Amino acid sequence: MRTINFYSGPSLLPNEVREQLALGVIDYEGKGFSIAEISHRSQTFLSILEELTHLVKTLLQIEQTHEVVFVQGGGRQLFAQIPMNFLNTTETAGFIDTGYWAHKAMQYASYYGNTICLATSKNEGYNHIPTVDKEKTKGLKYVGITSNNTVFGTQYKTLPKVFCPLVVDMSSDIFSITRNWNEIDLAFACAQKNVGVAGMSVVIIKKEFLATQQKNLVPVFSFQNLIEKKSNDYTPPVLSIYSALLTMRWLKNLGGITAIEQYNAQKAQLLYTAIEESTLFLSLIEKKEDRSVMNVCFYGANNKIEQDFLQFCEHHHIMGIKGHQEALGFRASLYNAQTLDNVLALTHAMNTFEEKY
Ligand code: PMP
């Protein structure tokens, strides 16, 4: 029996991706070898990388404007690698602090250059997306934001307007929502939510912005170098890359980002409505437009209710809904691979629990 999985990352894979990945590890397309057993310089693997890069560009409709590269490591690594590539000690990057990850990204950037916090919702428990005076972004090397706050459950539905390049951590909502890529100079996402198996990140860089990269970087950290080498300089994380290809094929077959966006909205609507109609559970994100479609964070009316509901979920094979240690409460992650059936199972559990309570 499959459990009902709401983990925030690593998280659920689409069923067919999970199955094809398993097959590929045992015997890749019936060729008599595992995808994990062949050289990253072999034609088979080169074709995987090429198709993956092409699919990412076409799904996002950025064929002409942006470069796409896959790098070893996760989100935190990019918090360092981006300023390493684009910030020096005479320059300043601005950050909008929407919570845990945005804050960490700013801290990491301060190792390479100057940083400034343009706005924060910290004093209100990160319960909304703070607004920023566009004038304050003049002269900055870039502004860094987190499009979806995985920990507190807020999300930019439209990106903020700035007078400088915009760098977006899309770790927890890439490929789930239509974005205006003209406004995005660099975006990155660790794989383990909407892309595939943990171990790498996808980085998307506008060509004009790439031209402003620092000189004399160690090649393994230089985006320019990794793009020239077509994401195949050091040995790439082959399983993570193969899983990403399977996910992108799956997404394309579903109808791409506009199709998954509608499905995601349906799942989130169902869960937020259940929270609103409940007397035991509540959401702290008051502005509906700020509520995340990917990570629904909610709380029990008191500690006892939270403990009892966690036990109730465990009993009903619902896993991974405990909130992040900074936010506490509950968090149900509704990434692209999450199913409406699973969300229905959760709302049903909430209703049953409430009736019994
Ligand atoms: N950014 C965001 C928005 C995240 O949700 C996460 C991880 N959950 C990270 C960065 C960090 O990713 P990693 O654990 O791969 O360093």
Side-chain angles (χ1 to χ4, degrees), residues 74-76 79 101 146 148 150 169 171-172 190 192-193:
R76 287 174 184 81
F79 292 169
W101 296 113
T146 311
N148 180 74
T150 326
D169 176 358
S171 288
S172 50
C190 51
Q192 62 266 26
K193 300 159 199 298

Side-chain angles (χ1 to χ4, degrees), residues 226-245:
L226 296 171
I227 288 164
E228 278 166 19
K229 300 277 163 57
K230 299 186 177 348
S231 307
N232 206 355
D233 186 7
Y234 43 64
T235 310
V238 292
L239 281 187
S240 188
I241 289 202
Y242 183 51
S243 72
L245 173 60

Side-chain angles (χ1 to χ4, degrees), residues 94 96 116 118-119 130-140 142-143 159-166 183:
I96 305 177
I116 169 176
L118 298 165
T131 50
V132 168
D133 177 4
K134 192 177 169 187
E135 288 295 317
K136 284 191 187 169
T137 67
K138 276 188 179 157
L140 296 175
Y142 62 83
V143 164
L159 299 177
K161 303 281 176 245
V162 289
F163 279 125
C164 64
L166 187 66
E183 297 176 343

Side-chain angles (χ1 to χ4, degrees), residues 144 168 333:
V168 189
S333 296

Side-chain angles (χ1 to χ4, degrees), residues 1-60:
M1 193 198 78
R2 286 279 280 161
T3 50
I4 299 160
N5 178 351
F6 288 101
Y7 274 119
S8 63
S11 49
L12 208 60
L13 293 169
N15 261 337
E16 71 187 63
V17 170
R18 191 169 45 94
E19 283 166 16
Q20 287 170 11
L21 183 63
L23 282 177
V25 169
I26 294 165
D27 186 0
Y28 178 71
E29 294 186 349
K31 291 179 197 281
F33 54 76
S34 162
I35 193 61
E37 294 173 333
I38 56 164
S39 167
H40 58 297
R41 311 268 179 229
S42 63
Q43 191 49 52
T44 302
F45 192 73
L46 293 182
S47 303
I48 288 174
L49 265 178
E50 196 180 327
E51 186 186 343
L52 172 60
T53 309
H54 173 74
L55 272 176
V56 169
K57 285 188 181 174
T58 49
L59 280 164
L60 300 176

Side-chain angles (χ1 to χ4, degrees), residues 196-226:
V197 172
M200 67 152 188
S201 296
V202 51
V203 187
I204 299 159
I205 313 177
K206 199 188 262 180
K207 291 176 184 169
E208 289 96 321
F209 188 55
L210 184 63
T212 71
Q213 187 183 300
Q214 306 288 324
K215 305 287 174 258
N216 299 325
L217 287 165
V218 177
V220 289
F221 294 125
S222 157
F223 292 127
Q224 183 75 57
N225 171 54
L226 296 171

Side-chain angles (χ1 to χ4, degrees), residues 92-109:
T92 304
F95 287 84
I96 305 177
D97 177 22
T98 50
Y100 191 80
W101 296 113
H103 188 72
K104 217 176 254 315
M106 183 168 78
Q107 279 177 336
Y108 280 38

